[in-house]
Amino acid sequence: MAGQAETDVVIVGAGPCGLFAVFELGLLDLSCHLIDILDRPGGQCAELYPEKPIFDIPGLPETSAQELIDRLTKQIAPFEPMFHFSEMVTSLDRTGTGFRIATDAGTVIDCKAVVIAAGGGSFQPKRPPIPGVEAYDGKSVFYSVRRMEDFRDHHIVIVGGGDSALDWTLNLQPLARSVTLVHRRPEFRAAPDSVNKMRALEAEGKIRFRQGQVTELKGADGALQSVVVKGPDGDDELACTRMLPFFGLTMKLGPVAEWGIDLHENRILVDTEKFETSEPGIFAIGDINWYPGKLKLILCGFHEAALMSHAAKHIVHPGERVVFQHTSSSTKLHKKLGVA
Ligand SMILES: Cc1cc2nc3c(=O)[nH]c(=O)nc-3n(C[C@H](O)[C@H](O)[C@H](O)COP(=O)(O)OP(=O)(O)OC[C@H]3O[C@@H](n4cnc5c(N)ncnc54)[C@H](O)[C@@H]3O)c2cc1C
């Protein structure tokens, strides 16, 4: 939505870390606008694995990725963040008083501080090098599973040897008509536990594993019927009505790389006190940042959001004393959260 706005902080990216940053900034009375290329909040959680269970969010023994995003969205609602979906931040310029952010949809926002929570950047799945695969994209060939039900009773071929390929082999097996995992080597990069589970299902005859590469797709009008797998023992034609190639994501930093911020191997270098970049007033949290010991975990991004917010407060309201308060006992915070 094109337009002009003013706010304290602009957050680039509405993944889990960008969302939680709204909460931490809100506790300190900082208003936020969030901008995301996707058409809804959630980043990787919503786009790549909404129905998968997550087990390492503190205090939530098990939650689905989408449920986590729904809970975060509810948690930040009292702060009334302004969302700009389906827009890519294309430029970031310094002004006399802060920053001006612009998107490809024509939105322009002036702010005092910027938080880059852009994850892997504008992530794009890598297409497999199979002739004519584009004709099946989004119809029979998918690069993520938004709804498991869409795969029920299908002949599914999953291609790849990493965590996504193994996880979806295990998760889709109970509802598929057939599942075949195709990987060019007998060794996998996935978690050993997933590989063991996959091998056990193979031994029970519940899934098939084929070593090789998919070289040909057969079907018409986007409806896949079979695929040809070229392996060490020759060619094999497999019934296939849904194919899921997991060849990784290209980590395109996109416009972020052109903002003059110091990078470390395609990620944004930050300090671990404030999670500030080499440009004062511009912070980076979540998967996009790098510092010694960094782990790409949601809980790490949450911690980074808390520390970043206190530093951002000093930039937005210089000289103002910040009183540290707990949400459990502060009546001021209860008022902000609408629970007074
Ligand atoms: C299959 C899978 C399973 C996982 N399981 C776990 C798990 O169990 N536990 C765990 O802690 N982590 C897990 N992770 C990792 C976790 O999802 C990431 O650490 C987390 O999503 C990072 O959050 P983020 O907010 O930093 O970035 P992201 O979730 O990547 O969100 C970044 C957002 O920024 C947007 N964006 C990027 N560039 C721009 C731009 N220029 N303009 C506008 N918007 C932009 C993107 O569209 C995206 O929505 C898993 C990841 C995958 C792929």
Side-chain angles (χ1 to χ4, degrees), residues 12-19 35-38 40-45 48-49 52-57 87-90 117-123 163-164 167-168 249 252-256 259 285-288 295-301:
V12 182
C17 303
L19 293 175
I35 306 170
D36 205 296
I37 303 161
L38 300 177
R40 61 194 182 288
Q44 293 174 48
C45 293
L48 299 182
Y49 62 108
K52 272 169 80 79
I54 303 180
F55 301 98
D56 57 353
I57 303 299
E87 296 188 34
M88 182 194 277
V89 175
T90 47
S122 42
F123 51 88
D163 280 316
S164 298
D167 286 355
W168 285 119
L249 300 170
K252 280 195 185 148
L253 255 192
V256 174
W259 295 341
I285 60 167
D287 279 14
I288 193 90
L295 293 177
K296 286 190 187 180
L297 284 174
I298 295 166
L299 73 92
C300 296

Tab-separated table of all heavy atoms in Angstrom, residues 12-19 35-38 40-45 48-49 52-57 87-90 117-123 163-164 167-168 249 252-256 259 285-288 295-301, ligand 1:
chain	number	residue	atom	x	y	z
A	12	VAL	N	12.342	-4.387	9.239
A	12	VAL	CA	12.358	-4.999	7.905
A	12	VAL	C	12.283	-6.510	8.091
A	12	VAL	O	13.241	-7.141	8.530
A	12	VAL	CB	13.652	-4.639	7.134
A	12	VAL	CG1	13.627	-5.248	5.730
A	12	VAL	CG2	13.851	-3.132	7.086
A	13	GLY	N	11.107	-7.086	7.839
A	13	GLY	CA	10.926	-8.526	8.008
A	13	GLY	C	9.979	-8.830	9.148
A	13	GLY	O	10.210	-8.394	10.276
A	14	ALA	N	8.905	-9.585	8.846
A	14	ALA	CA	7.909	-9.935	9.877
A	14	ALA	C	7.953	-11.420	10.192
A	14	ALA	O	6.938	-12.088	10.334
A	14	ALA	CB	6.512	-9.513	9.421
A	15	GLY	N	9.179	-11.961	10.269
A	15	GLY	CA	9.356	-13.339	10.744
A	15	GLY	C	9.218	-13.347	12.261
A	15	GLY	O	8.886	-12.319	12.873
A	16	PRO	N	9.473	-14.476	12.924
A	16	PRO	CA	9.275	-14.537	14.378
A	16	PRO	C	10.087	-13.487	15.130
A	16	PRO	O	9.596	-12.925	16.117
A	16	PRO	CB	9.726	-15.958	14.746
A	16	PRO	CG	10.492	-16.467	13.573
A	16	PRO	CD	9.947	-15.763	12.384
A	17	CYS	N	11.294	-13.200	14.661
A	17	CYS	CA	12.145	-12.249	15.402
A	17	CYS	C	11.659	-10.819	15.204
A	17	CYS	O	11.621	-10.030	16.156
A	17	CYS	CB	13.609	-12.416	14.972
A	17	CYS	SG	14.171	-14.108	15.219
A	18	GLY	N	11.261	-10.477	13.987
A	18	GLY	CA	10.702	-9.144	13.741
A	18	GLY	C	9.436	-8.937	14.555
A	18	GLY	O	9.214	-7.870	15.134
A	19	LEU	N	8.595	-9.985	14.640
A	19	LEU	CA	7.344	-9.861	15.399
A	19	LEU	C	7.643	-9.640	16.881
A	19	LEU	O	7.075	-8.746	17.515
A	19	LEU	CB	6.488	-11.123	15.228
A	19	LEU	CG	5.918	-11.389	13.829
A	19	LEU	CD1	5.200	-12.725	13.796
A	19	LEU	CD2	4.968	-10.275	13.407
A	35	ILE	N	7.628	-4.307	7.590
A	35	ILE	CA	7.477	-4.470	6.141
A	35	ILE	C	7.945	-5.868	5.769
A	35	ILE	O	8.993	-6.314	6.243
A	35	ILE	CB	8.329	-3.423	5.379
A	35	ILE	CG1	7.982	-2.016	5.867
A	35	ILE	CG2	8.129	-3.540	3.870
A	35	ILE	CD1	8.919	-0.933	5.376
A	36	ASP	N	7.166	-6.581	4.953
A	36	ASP	CA	7.590	-7.916	4.524
A	36	ASP	C	7.176	-8.185	3.089
A	36	ASP	O	6.091	-7.787	2.658
A	36	ASP	CB	7.012	-9.001	5.436
A	36	ASP	CG	7.870	-10.254	5.417
A	36	ASP	OD1	7.984	-10.884	4.334
A	36	ASP	OD2	8.457	-10.588	6.452
A	37	ILE	N	8.052	-8.892	2.385
A	37	ILE	CA	7.779	-9.271	0.992
A	37	ILE	C	6.607	-10.252	0.937
A	37	ILE	O	5.829	-10.260	-0.011
A	37	ILE	CB	9.014	-9.976	0.377
A	37	ILE	CG1	10.246	-9.089	0.467
A	37	ILE	CG2	8.762	-10.401	-1.049
A	37	ILE	CD1	11.542	-9.846	0.328
A	38	LEU	N	6.501	-11.093	1.968
A	38	LEU	CA	5.439	-12.095	1.984
A	38	LEU	C	4.085	-11.413	2.237
A	38	LEU	O	4.037	-10.259	2.654
A	38	LEU	CB	5.698	-13.136	3.077
A	38	LEU	CG	7.003	-13.928	2.937
A	38	LEU	CD1	7.177	-14.878	4.119
A	38	LEU	CD2	7.021	-14.714	1.632
A	40	ARG	N	1.918	-12.273	4.497
A	40	ARG	CA	1.419	-12.484	5.871
A	40	ARG	C	2.609	-12.579	6.812
A	40	ARG	O	3.740	-12.764	6.361
A	40	ARG	CB	0.581	-13.758	5.926
A	40	ARG	CG	1.378	-14.973	5.540
A	40	ARG	CD	0.468	-16.169	5.271
A	40	ARG	NE	1.284	-17.319	4.942
A	40	ARG	CZ	1.947	-17.462	3.807
A	40	ARG	NH1	1.905	-16.514	2.878
A	40	ARG	NH2	2.679	-18.519	3.587
A	41	PRO	N	2.352	-12.500	8.125
A	41	PRO	CA	3.482	-12.586	9.045
A	41	PRO	C	3.994	-14.016	9.178
A	41	PRO	O	3.281	-14.959	8.864
A	41	PRO	CB	2.880	-12.117	10.377
A	41	PRO	CG	1.424	-12.398	10.274
A	41	PRO	CD	1.061	-12.289	8.822
A	42	GLY	N	5.234	-14.154	9.652
A	42	GLY	CA	5.714	-15.510	9.998
A	42	GLY	C	7.026	-15.926	9.370
A	42	GLY	O	7.631	-16.898	9.814
A	43	GLY	N	7.475	-15.234	8.333
A	43	GLY	CA	8.767	-15.566	7.724
A	43	GLY	C	8.865	-17.049	7.392
A	43	GLY	O	7.911	-17.647	6.884
A	44	GLN	N	10.016	-17.644	7.719
A	44	GLN	CA	10.251	-19.056	7.396
A	44	GLN	C	9.207	-19.965	8.039
A	44	GLN	O	8.789	-20.954	7.453
A	44	GLN	CB	11.633	-19.488	7.894
A	44	GLN	CG	12.778	-18.817	7.168
A	44	GLN	CD	14.111	-19.172	7.797
A	44	GLN	OE1	14.416	-20.321	8.063
A	44	GLN	NE2	14.941	-18.156	8.029
A	45	CYS	N	8.788	-19.622	9.277
A	45	CYS	CA	7.830	-20.478	9.997
A	45	CYS	C	6.540	-20.631	9.194
A	45	CYS	O	6.000	-21.729	9.069
A	45	CYS	CB	7.488	-19.872	11.355
A	45	CYS	SG	8.861	-19.853	12.487
A	48	LEU	N	7.728	-21.872	5.138
A	48	LEU	CA	8.426	-23.126	4.852
A	48	LEU	C	7.949	-24.328	5.650
A	48	LEU	O	8.058	-25.450	5.198
A	48	LEU	CB	9.940	-22.958	5.091
A	48	LEU	CG	10.649	-21.916	4.224
A	48	LEU	CD1	12.128	-21.897	4.550
A	48	LEU	CD2	10.456	-22.229	2.746
A	49	TYR	N	7.463	-24.102	6.887
A	49	TYR	CA	7.108	-25.288	7.672
A	49	TYR	C	5.992	-25.023	8.693
A	49	TYR	O	6.107	-25.383	9.859
A	49	TYR	CB	8.362	-25.857	8.356
A	49	TYR	CG	9.075	-24.960	9.351
A	49	TYR	CD1	9.014	-25.218	10.716
A	49	TYR	CD2	9.828	-23.861	8.951
A	49	TYR	CE1	9.669	-24.423	11.635
A	49	TYR	CE2	10.482	-23.049	9.858
A	49	TYR	CZ	10.389	-23.338	11.193
A	49	TYR	OH	11.030	-22.542	12.111
A	52	LYS	N	4.816	-27.958	10.933
A	52	LYS	CA	5.805	-28.788	11.649
A	52	LYS	C	5.839	-28.394	13.121
A	52	LYS	O	5.711	-27.226	13.460
A	52	LYS	CB	7.199	-28.588	11.040
A	52	LYS	CG	7.472	-29.525	9.882
A	52	LYS	CD	8.720	-29.107	9.169
A	52	LYS	CE	9.954	-29.573	9.885
A	52	LYS	NZ	10.242	-30.981	9.638
A	53	PRO	N	6.032	-29.382	13.989
A	53	PRO	CA	6.132	-29.032	15.416
A	53	PRO	C	7.510	-28.476	15.749
A	53	PRO	O	8.515	-28.924	15.192
A	53	PRO	CB	5.902	-30.372	16.121
A	53	PRO	CG	6.257	-31.416	15.117
A	53	PRO	CD	6.067	-30.825	13.749
A	54	ILE	N	7.542	-27.502	16.642
A	54	ILE	CA	8.802	-26.949	17.158
A	54	ILE	C	8.850	-27.316	18.643
A	54	ILE	O	7.855	-27.182	19.354
A	54	ILE	CB	8.854	-25.407	17.023
A	54	ILE	CG1	8.655	-24.996	15.560
A	54	ILE	CG2	10.178	-24.851	17.540
A	54	ILE	CD1	8.703	-23.484	15.334
A	55	PHE	N	10.012	-27.740	19.095
A	55	PHE	CA	10.118	-28.214	20.482
A	55	PHE	C	11.061	-27.376	21.343
A	55	PHE	O	11.260	-27.689	22.504
A	55	PHE	CB	10.609	-29.675	20.491
A	55	PHE	CG	9.705	-30.629	19.751
A	55	PHE	CD1	9.994	-31.012	18.449
A	55	PHE	CD2	8.556	-31.126	20.355
A	55	PHE	CE1	9.162	-31.881	17.756
A	55	PHE	CE2	7.718	-31.999	19.672
A	55	PHE	CZ	8.023	-32.377	18.371
A	56	ASP	N	11.672	-26.328	20.751
A	56	ASP	CA	12.683	-25.610	21.547
A	56	ASP	C	12.356	-24.138	21.753
A	56	ASP	O	13.231	-23.287	21.783
A	56	ASP	CB	14.087	-25.776	20.924
A	56	ASP	CG	14.164	-25.314	19.483
A	56	ASP	OD1	13.102	-24.985	18.907
A	56	ASP	OD2	15.277	-25.264	18.933
A	57	ILE	N	11.063	-23.846	21.888
A	57	ILE	CA	10.672	-22.497	22.294
A	57	ILE	C	10.473	-22.559	23.819
A	57	ILE	O	9.653	-23.355	24.301
A	57	ILE	CB	9.351	-22.052	21.607
A	57	ILE	CG1	9.478	-22.120	20.076
A	57	ILE	CG2	8.945	-20.654	22.067
A	57	ILE	CD1	10.542	-21.243	19.468
A	87	GLU	N	5.426	-6.180	0.238
A	87	GLU	CA	6.268	-5.043	-0.174
A	87	GLU	C	7.717	-5.352	0.179
A	87	GLU	O	7.991	-5.865	1.269
A	87	GLU	CB	5.845	-3.757	0.551
A	87	GLU	CG	4.447	-3.314	0.202
A	87	GLU	CD	4.113	-1.940	0.761
A	87	GLU	OE1	5.019	-1.079	0.835
A	87	GLU	OE2	2.942	-1.746	1.131
A	88	MET	N	8.620	-5.029	-0.719
A	88	MET	CA	10.040	-5.240	-0.440
A	88	MET	C	10.705	-3.901	-0.140
A	88	MET	O	10.517	-2.936	-0.892
A	88	MET	CB	10.737	-5.887	-1.633
A	88	MET	CG	12.208	-6.154	-1.334
A	88	MET	SD	13.197	-6.527	-2.774
A	88	MET	CE	12.855	-8.239	-2.943
A	89	VAL	N	11.450	-3.867	0.960
A	89	VAL	CA	12.197	-2.643	1.253
A	89	VAL	C	13.321	-2.538	0.229
A	89	VAL	O	14.138	-3.444	0.085
A	89	VAL	CB	12.790	-2.690	2.677
A	89	VAL	CG1	13.666	-1.484	2.922
A	89	VAL	CG2	11.673	-2.751	3.701
A	90	THR	N	13.325	-1.442	-0.489
A	90	THR	CA	14.330	-1.311	-1.550
A	90	THR	C	15.411	-0.297	-1.206
A	90	THR	O	16.533	-0.406	-1.679
A	90	THR	CB	13.650	-0.893	-2.879
A	90	THR	OG1	12.762	0.184	-2.588
A	90	THR	CG2	12.889	-2.047	-3.493
A	117	ALA	N	15.364	-7.469	10.316
A	117	ALA	CA	15.053	-8.825	10.788
A	117	ALA	C	14.680	-9.637	9.546
A	117	ALA	O	13.632	-10.272	9.482
A	117	ALA	CB	13.907	-8.786	11.793
A	118	ALA	N	15.567	-9.560	8.554
A	118	ALA	CA	15.236	-10.067	7.213
A	118	ALA	C	15.601	-11.530	6.996
A	118	ALA	O	15.566	-12.014	5.864
A	118	ALA	CB	15.908	-9.191	6.156
A	119	GLY	N	15.916	-12.260	8.073
A	119	GLY	CA	16.177	-13.702	7.950
A	119	GLY	C	17.256	-13.989	6.937
A	119	GLY	O	18.355	-13.446	7.001
A	120	GLY	N	16.942	-14.861	5.983
A	120	GLY	CA	17.907	-15.187	4.929
A	120	GLY	C	17.795	-14.221	3.774
A	120	GLY	O	18.247	-14.507	2.681
A	121	GLY	N	17.174	-13.084	3.999
A	121	GLY	CA	16.927	-12.138	2.910
A	121	GLY	C	15.676	-12.594	2.179
A	121	GLY	O	14.849	-13.316	2.741
A	122	SER	N	15.558	-12.183	0.943
A	122	SER	CA	14.380	-12.601	0.172
A	122	SER	C	14.639	-14.026	-0.294
A	122	SER	O	15.237	-14.232	-1.337
A	122	SER	CB	14.144	-11.667	-1.006
A	122	SER	OG	15.358	-11.362	-1.622
A	123	PHE	N	14.212	-14.988	0.521
A	123	PHE	CA	14.589	-16.365	0.228
A	123	PHE	C	13.802	-16.950	-0.939
A	123	PHE	O	12.589	-16.804	-1.026
A	123	PHE	CB	14.501	-17.256	1.461
A	123	PHE	CG	13.212	-17.205	2.215
A	123	PHE	CD1	12.169	-18.040	1.867
A	123	PHE	CD2	13.066	-16.355	3.297
A	123	PHE	CE1	10.996	-18.022	2.583
A	123	PHE	CE2	11.891	-16.319	4.015
A	123	PHE	CZ	10.848	-17.151	3.656
A	163	ASP	N	17.577	-31.814	5.858
A	163	ASP	CA	16.532	-31.951	6.876
A	163	ASP	C	15.125	-31.829	6.292
A	163	ASP	O	14.236	-32.596	6.658
A	163	ASP	CB	16.719	-30.889	7.972
A	163	ASP	CG	17.791	-31.311	8.949
A	163	ASP	OD1	17.794	-32.492	9.349
A	163	ASP	OD2	18.652	-30.476	9.290
A	164	SER	N	14.932	-30.857	5.381
A	164	SER	CA	13.578	-30.669	4.841
A	164	SER	C	13.124	-31.920	4.114
A	164	SER	O	11.985	-32.386	4.291
A	164	SER	CB	13.537	-29.476	3.887
A	164	SER	OG	13.870	-28.311	4.571
A	167	ASP	N	12.498	-34.697	6.719
A	167	ASP	CA	11.344	-34.387	7.572
A	167	ASP	C	10.035	-34.595	6.830
A	167	ASP	O	9.087	-35.167	7.362
A	167	ASP	CB	11.403	-32.931	8.066
A	167	ASP	CG	12.456	-32.749	9.138
A	167	ASP	OD1	13.048	-33.759	9.549
A	167	ASP	OD2	12.691	-31.598	9.535
A	168	TRP	N	9.967	-34.103	5.587
A	168	TRP	CA	8.708	-34.232	4.870
A	168	TRP	C	8.458	-35.665	4.423
A	168	TRP	O	7.309	-36.090	4.300
A	168	TRP	CB	8.632	-33.239	3.701
A	168	TRP	CG	8.380	-31.854	4.214
A	168	TRP	CD1	9.171	-30.753	4.072
A	168	TRP	CD2	7.260	-31.429	5.016
A	168	TRP	NE1	8.615	-29.672	4.726
A	168	TRP	CE2	7.447	-30.061	5.319
A	168	TRP	CE3	6.121	-32.073	5.516
A	168	TRP	CZ2	6.543	-29.326	6.089
A	168	TRP	CZ3	5.218	-31.345	6.286
A	168	TRP	CH2	5.432	-29.995	6.561
A	249	LEU	N	17.778	-23.116	-0.251
A	249	LEU	CA	17.256	-21.785	-0.569
A	249	LEU	C	18.417	-20.914	-0.978
A	249	LEU	O	19.502	-21.037	-0.428
A	249	LEU	CB	16.610	-21.164	0.671
A	249	LEU	CG	15.441	-21.923	1.282
A	249	LEU	CD1	15.073	-21.336	2.620
A	249	LEU	CD2	14.257	-21.888	0.345
A	252	LYS	N	19.436	-14.709	-0.848
A	252	LYS	CA	19.656	-13.436	-1.537
A	252	LYS	C	19.444	-12.304	-0.556
A	252	LYS	O	18.318	-12.043	-0.145
A	252	LYS	CB	18.699	-13.313	-2.715
A	252	LYS	CG	19.166	-14.083	-3.907
A	252	LYS	CD	18.422	-13.652	-5.135
A	252	LYS	CE	18.820	-14.534	-6.298
A	252	LYS	NZ	17.738	-14.729	-7.245
A	253	LEU	N	20.523	-11.647	-0.183
A	253	LEU	CA	20.378	-10.530	0.737
A	253	LEU	C	19.535	-9.428	0.104
A	253	LEU	O	18.867	-8.665	0.787
A	253	LEU	CB	21.752	-9.978	1.071
A	253	LEU	CG	22.304	-10.310	2.445
A	253	LEU	CD1	23.522	-9.475	2.738
A	253	LEU	CD2	21.271	-10.132	3.531
A	254	GLY	N	19.581	-9.385	-1.199
A	254	GLY	CA	18.794	-8.382	-1.917
A	254	GLY	C	19.282	-6.986	-1.607
A	254	GLY	O	20.471	-6.765	-1.379
A	255	PRO	N	18.347	-6.040	-1.519
A	255	PRO	CA	18.730	-4.630	-1.348
A	255	PRO	C	19.530	-4.374	-0.071
A	255	PRO	O	20.323	-3.440	-0.025
A	255	PRO	CB	17.387	-3.910	-1.261
A	255	PRO	CG	16.353	-4.863	-1.693
A	255	PRO	CD	16.901	-6.224	-1.579
A	256	VAL	N	19.348	-5.214	0.961
A	256	VAL	CA	20.046	-5.019	2.235
A	256	VAL	C	21.562	-4.916	2.021
A	256	VAL	O	22.256	-4.168	2.708
A	256	VAL	CB	19.717	-6.198	3.194
A	256	VAL	CG1	20.523	-6.129	4.467
A	256	VAL	CG2	18.229	-6.218	3.519
A	259	TRP	N	23.201	-1.315	1.433
A	259	TRP	CA	22.991	-0.208	2.362
A	259	TRP	C	24.258	0.221	3.084
A	259	TRP	O	24.204	0.957	4.081
A	259	TRP	CB	21.891	-0.564	3.374
A	259	TRP	CG	20.542	-0.736	2.723
A	259	TRP	CD1	20.180	-0.266	1.495
A	259	TRP	CD2	19.400	-1.411	3.244
A	259	TRP	NE1	18.879	-0.627	1.214
A	259	TRP	CE2	18.382	-1.322	2.268
A	259	TRP	CE3	19.126	-2.091	4.430
A	259	TRP	CZ2	17.115	-1.882	2.444
A	259	TRP	CZ3	17.870	-2.635	4.606
A	259	TRP	CH2	16.876	-2.532	3.623
A	285	ILE	N	18.704	-8.311	13.831
A	285	ILE	CA	18.424	-9.422	14.748
A	285	ILE	C	17.955	-10.638	13.943
A	285	ILE	O	17.557	-10.516	12.781
A	285	ILE	CB	17.334	-9.046	15.789
A	285	ILE	CG1	16.015	-8.677	15.086
A	285	ILE	CG2	17.810	-7.907	16.702
A	285	ILE	CD1	14.819	-8.597	16.033
A	286	GLY	N	18.019	-11.810	14.573
A	286	GLY	CA	17.533	-13.035	13.921
A	286	GLY	C	18.558	-13.598	12.953
A	286	GLY	O	19.747	-13.286	13.009
A	287	ASP	N	18.065	-14.423	12.032
A	287	ASP	CA	18.960	-15.174	11.143
A	287	ASP	C	19.871	-14.311	10.281
A	287	ASP	O	20.879	-14.775	9.778
A	287	ASP	CB	18.124	-16.046	10.191
A	287	ASP	CG	17.667	-17.342	10.849
A	287	ASP	OD1	17.774	-17.437	12.088
A	287	ASP	OD2	17.200	-18.235	10.123
A	288	ILE	N	19.497	-13.066	10.085
A	288	ILE	CA	20.272	-12.206	9.177
A	288	ILE	C	21.598	-11.769	9.781
A	288	ILE	O	22.513	-11.373	9.066
A	288	ILE	CB	19.441	-10.948	8.788
A	288	ILE	CG1	20.061	-10.178	7.622
A	288	ILE	CG2	19.290	-9.981	9.963
A	288	ILE	CD1	19.593	-10.615	6.291
A	295	LEU	N	23.836	-18.644	16.696
A	295	LEU	CA	23.050	-19.812	16.321
A	295	LEU	C	21.769	-19.320	15.665
A	295	LEU	O	21.113	-18.417	16.189
A	295	LEU	CB	22.678	-20.650	17.552
A	295	LEU	CG	23.814	-21.359	18.290
A	295	LEU	CD1	23.263	-22.086	19.519
A	295	LEU	CD2	24.530	-22.355	17.395
A	296	LYS	N	21.424	-19.927	14.531
A	296	LYS	CA	20.178	-19.521	13.852
A	296	LYS	C	19.005	-20.224	14.516
A	296	LYS	O	18.468	-21.203	14.009
A	296	LYS	CB	20.255	-19.883	12.374
A	296	LYS	CG	21.155	-18.989	11.557
A	296	LYS	CD	20.951	-19.307	10.094
A	296	LYS	CE	21.932	-18.563	9.236
A	296	LYS	NZ	21.733	-18.876	7.816
A	297	LEU	N	18.634	-19.733	15.687
A	297	LEU	CA	17.512	-20.288	16.437
A	297	LEU	C	16.555	-19.154	16.782
A	297	LEU	O	16.999	-18.030	17.064
A	297	LEU	CB	17.990	-20.929	17.740
A	297	LEU	CG	18.665	-22.294	17.645
A	297	LEU	CD1	19.200	-22.712	18.997
A	297	LEU	CD2	17.693	-23.345	17.115
A	298	ILE	N	15.286	-19.476	16.813
A	298	ILE	CA	14.280	-18.450	17.121
A	298	ILE	C	14.542	-17.855	18.498
A	298	ILE	O	14.472	-16.642	18.691
A	298	ILE	CB	12.868	-19.071	17.027
A	298	ILE	CG1	12.581	-19.491	15.572
A	298	ILE	CG2	11.810	-18.099	17.523
A	298	ILE	CD1	11.395	-20.409	15.394
A	299	LEU	N	14.866	-18.691	19.472
A	299	LEU	CA	15.054	-18.172	20.829
A	299	LEU	C	16.234	-17.210	20.899
A	299	LEU	O	16.224	-16.275	21.708
A	299	LEU	CB	15.188	-19.309	21.848
A	299	LEU	CG	16.453	-20.152	21.906
A	299	LEU	CD1	17.438	-19.558	22.894
A	299	LEU	CD2	16.108	-21.562	22.348
A	300	CYS	N	17.247	-17.402	20.072
A	300	CYS	CA	18.373	-16.453	20.056
A	300	CYS	C	17.884	-15.103	19.522
A	300	CYS	O	18.251	-14.046	20.035
A	300	CYS	CB	19.515	-16.976	19.185
A	300	CYS	SG	20.232	-18.478	19.837
A	301	GLY	N	17.049	-15.147	18.495
A	301	GLY	CA	16.508	-13.901	17.927
A	301	GLY	C	15.656	-13.154	18.940
A	301	GLY	O	15.652	-11.919	18.979
B	1	LIG	C1	12.360	-26.518	8.072
B	1	LIG	C2	12.862	-25.599	9.163
B	1	LIG	C3	12.701	-25.988	10.494
B	1	LIG	C4	13.156	-25.138	11.531
B	1	LIG	N1	12.976	-25.535	12.826
B	1	LIG	C5	13.362	-24.702	13.839
B	1	LIG	C6	13.177	-25.094	15.207
B	1	LIG	O1	12.682	-26.165	15.509
B	1	LIG	N2	13.594	-24.203	16.178
B	1	LIG	C7	14.173	-22.986	15.876
B	1	LIG	O2	14.506	-22.221	16.792
B	1	LIG	N3	14.369	-22.618	14.583
B	1	LIG	C8	13.980	-23.450	13.561
B	1	LIG	N4	14.192	-23.079	12.264
B	1	LIG	C9	14.865	-21.789	12.001
B	1	LIG	C10	13.890	-20.631	12.221
B	1	LIG	O3	12.751	-20.754	11.400
B	1	LIG	C11	14.642	-19.325	11.921
B	1	LIG	O4	15.707	-19.211	12.837
B	1	LIG	C12	13.689	-18.133	12.084
B	1	LIG	O5	12.620	-18.192	11.166
B	1	LIG	C13	14.456	-16.818	11.885
B	1	LIG	O6	13.540	-15.797	12.082
B	1	LIG	P1	13.781	-14.340	11.449
B	1	LIG	O7	12.621	-13.530	11.933
B	1	LIG	O8	15.159	-13.915	11.763
B	1	LIG	O9	13.752	-14.542	9.881
B	1	LIG	P2	12.707	-15.201	8.855
B	1	LIG	O10	11.801	-16.160	9.519
B	1	LIG	O11	13.540	-15.685	7.719
B	1	LIG	O12	11.847	-13.939	8.373
B	1	LIG	C14	12.460	-12.900	7.646
B	1	LIG	C15	11.412	-12.157	6.857
B	1	LIG	O13	12.025	-11.015	6.242
B	1	LIG	C16	11.436	-10.795	4.971
B	1	LIG	N5	12.352	-9.986	4.149
B	1	LIG	C17	13.632	-10.269	3.780
B	1	LIG	N6	14.164	-9.261	3.042
B	1	LIG	C18	13.188	-8.307	2.961
B	1	LIG	C19	13.110	-7.018	2.326
B	1	LIG	N7	14.123	-6.480	1.655
B	1	LIG	N8	11.930	-6.330	2.422
B	1	LIG	C20	10.859	-6.846	3.108
B	1	LIG	N9	10.903	-8.050	3.725
B	1	LIG	C21	12.043	-8.776	3.656
B	1	LIG	C22	11.211	-12.213	4.442
B	1	LIG	O14	10.181	-12.252	3.460
B	1	LIG	C23	10.808	-12.972	5.734
B	1	LIG	O15	9.407	-13.057	5.900
B	1	LIG	C24	13.773	-23.895	11.218
B	1	LIG	C25	13.927	-23.505	9.875
B	1	LIG	C26	13.469	-24.348	8.860
B	1	LIG	C27	13.648	-23.913	7.423
